């Protein structure tokens, strides 16, 4: 089936959700195309699922809005984080020279990168908006390695469906699907507003996913795991966020 026919079919399937008789059909279409997010079992009755399915079909390749340098927020707002542990403080004292990002799971060549090694990848800078679900937001310039470049280096396998990312910060972890993982604006960010990424904003490494809400942008990342099955992680909902009542998919 070519891409256009597929899109039309999915759109038609999702459109039928409006009528109760179409619910089963729409759910079948969404399931078939992997459009049910991991924290939801069914399509009907859950706003997030419809949002996820509709955005995946309609805006798969669209870019988050980028802003002009004059629009950068001054100062940006850092959401407070819990106090850092001893291990973090030790790494910080060494200017994060010993910080590692491990990449494992469904990859041909599992690897572990220092910040310096990550910086050998092509870098991208973009001025985007970060919005917290609690209502505040700011605009900043983010610099980092597109996640897709790192996935190329390690050779993500064809049946990969999600990238799970873990932080040194307590229980923070999350995941995105391959559409977001391979999206050109999804960065392993190490810089902000022309400097190293400050610790309050997630330095030395943070996942920057500008098409999703703030909480998907996990700070202090140390490990990425490529997988085809989110059930294996935590409570099986794809992220620590749904375990606390937030949606796994937070597209904006
Ligand atoms: N490790 C970690 N990442 C995190 C958080 C956190 O507490 N710990 N808070 C999240 C939430 S809820 C939001 S809105 C953004 C806030 O980003 P900011 O501090 O750059 O404003 O970071 C997200 N990433
Ligand atoms: Mo948030």
């Amino acid at each position: 089936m070519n891409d256009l026919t597929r899109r039309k079919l999915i759109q038609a399937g999702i459109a039928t959700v409006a009528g109760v008789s179409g619910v089963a059909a729409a759910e079948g279409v969404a399931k078939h195309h992997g459009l049910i997010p991991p924290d939801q079992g069914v399509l009907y009755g859950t706003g997030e699922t419809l949002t996820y399915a509709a955005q995946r079909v309609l805006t798969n390749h669209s870019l988050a809005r980028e802003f002009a340098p004059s629009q950068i927020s001054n100062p940006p707002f850092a959401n407070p984080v819990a106090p850092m542990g001893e291990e973090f403080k030790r790494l910080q004292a060494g200017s994060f020279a010993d910080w590692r990002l491990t990449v494992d799971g469904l990859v041909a060549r599992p690897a572990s990168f220092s910040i310096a090694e990550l910086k050998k990848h092509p870098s991208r800078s973009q001025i985007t908006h970060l919005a917290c679900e609690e209502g505040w937001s700011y605009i900043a310039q983010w610099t980092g390695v597109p996640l897709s470049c790192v996935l190329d280096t390690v050779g993500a396998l064809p049946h990969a469906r999600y990238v799970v990312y873990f932080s040194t910060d307590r229980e923070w972890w999350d995941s995105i699907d391959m559409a977001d993982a391979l999206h050109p604006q999804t960065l392993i960010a190490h810089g902000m507003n022309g400097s190293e990424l400050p610790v309050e904003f997630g330095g030395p490494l943070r996942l920057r996913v500008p098409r999703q809400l703030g909480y998907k942008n996990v700070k202090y990342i140390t490990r990425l795991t490529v997988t085809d099955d989110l059930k294996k992680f935590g409570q099986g909902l794809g992220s620590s966020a749904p375990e606390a009542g937030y949606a796994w998919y937070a597209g904006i």
Side-chain angles (χ1 to χ4, degrees), residues 79 131-134 136 172 213-215:
N79 206 15
C132 172
E133 78 293 350
E134 287 174 15
W136 51 266
W172 275 89
L213 284 175
Y215 66 80

Side-chain angles (χ1 to χ4, degrees), residues 3 63 74 99 110 138 144 181 244:
D3 217 42
L63 294 176
N74 187 20
W99 191 273
Y138 66 91

Side-chain angles (χ1 to χ4, degrees), residues 38 162 164 173 175 227-234 236-238 248:
Y162 305 96
V164 190
W173 64 280
S175 64
T227 187
D228 60 354
D229 178 15
L230 291 174
K231 296 266 178 295
K232 295 188 268 200
F233 302 90
L237 302 174
W248 171 79

Side-chain angles (χ1 to χ4, degrees), residues 35-55:
L35 294 173
I36 306 273
D39 56 342
Q40 305 290 341
V42 294
L43 180 66
Y44 189 60
T46 56
E48 290 82 13
T49 304
L50 262 181
T51 310
Y52 179 60
Q55 291 202 358

